[in-house]
Amino acid sequence: MNAARVMAIFEKDLKEFTKNTTILFTPFITIILAIIYSRMETGDGLPLIVVYAIVGITYASVTSGVMMILMAEENEKKTLRGLIMSPASYVEILLGKSLVTALMTFITLIISFIIMESTNMIDIQQIIGLLVLFFFFLFLGIAVGLFVKSVGMTTVYLMPIMFIFGFTSMIEFLGFSPDSIVIKITDYMPIPQLVAMGETESWSAIGIVLIWTIVAGLLAFVCFQKVKKDRA
Amino acid sequence: MSNCIEITALQKTFGTKTAIADISLQIKEGEIFGLLGPSGAGKTTMIKMLTGELNKTAGDIRVLGSTPDKFHQTSFKSQIGLLSDNSVLYERLTVYDNLKLFAKLYNAPLNRIDEMLEMIDMLDAKKKVVSKLSKGMKQRILLAKALIHRPKLIFLDEPTSALDPGNVAQIHRVLQKLNEAGSTIFINTHNMEEATTLCDRVAFLHEGEIKECDTPENLRYQYSSHMFYVETFDGEIIQLPNESESADKIASLIKTGTVKAIQTDNPTLGDIFIKITGKELV
Ligand SMILES: Nc1ncnc2c1ncn2[C@@H]1O[C@H](COP(=O)(O)OP(=O)(O)OP(=O)(O)O)[C@@H](O)[C@H]1O
Ligand SMILES: [Mg+2]
């Protein structure tokens, strides 16, 4: 691992980012939604469930999405081969791209929180939750990014991630009864856990999200090993 | 001089298809070595095995003293330059940003970028976005990218295919200059002229085997018929072997004023290739 090479990839991807309309568009969707939601505010602040809707969209589209697209582009345009043949390792390439993804994610989130005046996120427990949740989505993005061969294909993977993990809290609004199996399952998913944490203030929510993150990390690791083996 | 590349009984198969049957070859330090062969001969496969992109099926490889298990190490990679057959640049970025990325990845000083651009005569294009460049310009930038860390050993996979003569000449000048400065060059090519003018030694690869390997001059001499062709003003062509008895005959023909021209056949590498393989080089 060499920090100079990670930074070289980071710098390159950041420059490409600003010239890539597909990617540049993703933070804007979130920010526009944040503006719309902020208009619906009635005086005592937006409820956590709405704030987490924005978090879910940001993490799915910016975190998982950008990570996938950055990798898919390198694969599709055959630039990945040039990187691999250079002294840069897979880990360095992934780290450089993760840094770009992290930067874009947190800029988007902070802008959205400011627009929505989400003071309920200024809370150490929520911030830790958000960080752990970031890695969950990042690992999903890396896992897909390692094998997806074209930018077009990323949507196929991004949509389920968006609906299952990004919009989990919204499922409640689909009219399921509170003791239906769907709600019981979704309650244990990362975003509903963090929404509930706002009331219970129980740290177990972060524990559950951490388990999800470890599982996503393992999935990314399996994909990583497979890609490395395929190359040999 | 020591060997830069040593290949012994090398084989490569893809499933049931044999790409490299059995190759042994030594390439000396400071040489420009040309691997010639028609499409599908296994040229790209050779470079991929020598640079660690593909694993060999059998045999031994040593490149700069390293065995393939070391090919992924930074110490090895920083001695190798590679311009592969489908190398690409980041189209959205400028020439400078592209070269900067690789200078940093190879830990080369950034002032090397201008130096390389000057060498390929493209300093003017430094701030240009790659997508706006012509194919020949892109290829020259790719060459600069492959050389930015001053590699000791350079692999080039058909570096001049489909380029106009101006770009080709430019690339050849750069390669010659690097070679004079001590770099060893391994070049895959279809282009017989390129092989003749550029390479110290060439090998003909056909169906995964090396059919001949020598200097272009030696090969051309070896494959010539060693005959003189004396053309008279009557349009007759008299063939005489390159032996002492022919001297008197030629002298007497010249004295009688019947000789229009005297020629030897000097086959091109292309002619030789057709002779060896029964195939045109395309
Ligand atoms: N990954 C692969 N899987 C299966 N077969 C392959 C693979 N790579 C190459 N081959 C086969 O190996 C043989 C040699 O291919 P190679 O690309 O080395 O030829 P080449 O001499 O570089 O040709 P060209 O001049 O067209 O570039 C071909 O028959 C090709 O089909
Ligand atoms: Mg080839």
Side-chain angles (χ1 to χ4, degrees), chain B residues 14 17 19 38-45 85 158 190:
Chain B
F14 294 105
K17 158 119 191 106
S39 194
K43 303 183 295 296
T44 301
T45 305
D85 54 347
E158 300 183 29
H190 280 161

Side-chain angles (χ1 to χ4, degrees), chain B residues 1 8 29 31 38-39 55 59 65-66 98 102 106 108 126 146 161 171 180 188 192 200 238 240 256 267:
Chain B
M1 228 178 242
T8 323
E29 220 173 90
E31 233 184 340
S39 194
N55 286 336
S66 295
N98 268 279
F102 285 91
Y106 282 97
K126 185 174 166 180
S161 70
I171 288 175
E180 278 157 26
N188 279 354
M192 289 299 123
D200 299 320
I238 306 164
L240 294 165
T256 55

Side-chain angles (χ1 to χ4, degrees), chain B residues 49 165 170 205 266 278 280:
Chain B
M49 283 193 285
Q170 172 90 44
L205 184 63
N266 201 358
E280 283 283 350

